[in-house]
Every structure is written in C-alpha cells, then in structure tokens.
Amino acid sequence: GNAGQANYAAAKASLMGWAAAAGAPPRVNVVAPGFIESAMTAKMPAVPRFFGARLNALGRPGAPEDVAGLIAHLVSPASAGVRGQTIRCCGGFWG
C-alpha cells in the first residue's frame, strides 16, 4: 500500500502471513496485484497514477485480466504443487 492506505497494507500483509502458515496441506496461496487499472486506481491523483501505471516491465498498467489469468492457473490442476506462496502480479514493478 501507499501513504494513506494502512488498512489496505495491513489486510494484504495478514493474507500473506496466513498463506505461509497454512500452505500445507491445504492448497492456499495469495495473489498480490500491483498497479491494476480499477475504480480504486482511477481515484488516484494524475501524476502518481501515471508513474504507477508505467514503472513496470510491461510499461502499462496491469489489467484485471492479468490477475484473472493467474488465478485461473492457481485453481487448475497444473498448480497443485504451489502452496503457501504469495505471487505478485504486477508486471515486474521496478519501484
């Protein structure tokens, strides 16, 4: 989270700790999206929104479909061995 987002940052940190503690035997993982274009990011001031959207390897803001694709993989049999992980979905944030 950023300044003024203590509740968001605390919730995210809590989920990360929970996944690490509960990672085996249940299949528990956390997806940690970075800058994803959404109603929340649309309310940000223009300058931070501009840089937040471009300071990653993709050079564009993340899309909800980016996160959905990761989640679809995590619920598929192909990821059965992925447990207790926090997976960032942020386009390779450089900040």
Side-chain angles (χ1 to χ4, degrees), residues 31-82:
V31 174
F35 190 95
I36 304 297
E37 227 167 52
S38 67
M40 182 180 82
T41 58
K43 294 177 184 175
M44 292 174 62
V47 172
R49 187 172 66 242
F50 175 84
F51 286 106
R54 285 161 184 82
L55 285 176
N56 63 54
L58 296 175
R60 64 163 176 81
E65 294 81 10
D66 299 331
V67 180
L70 173 57
I71 293 169
H73 173 69
L74 288 173
V75 300
S76 75
S79 70
V82 181

Side-chain angles (χ1 to χ4, degrees), residues 2-20:
N2 295 310
Q5 294 180 324
N7 55 342
Y8 172 79
K12 205 168 189 179
S14 296
L15 287 172
M16 292 166 66
W18 175 71

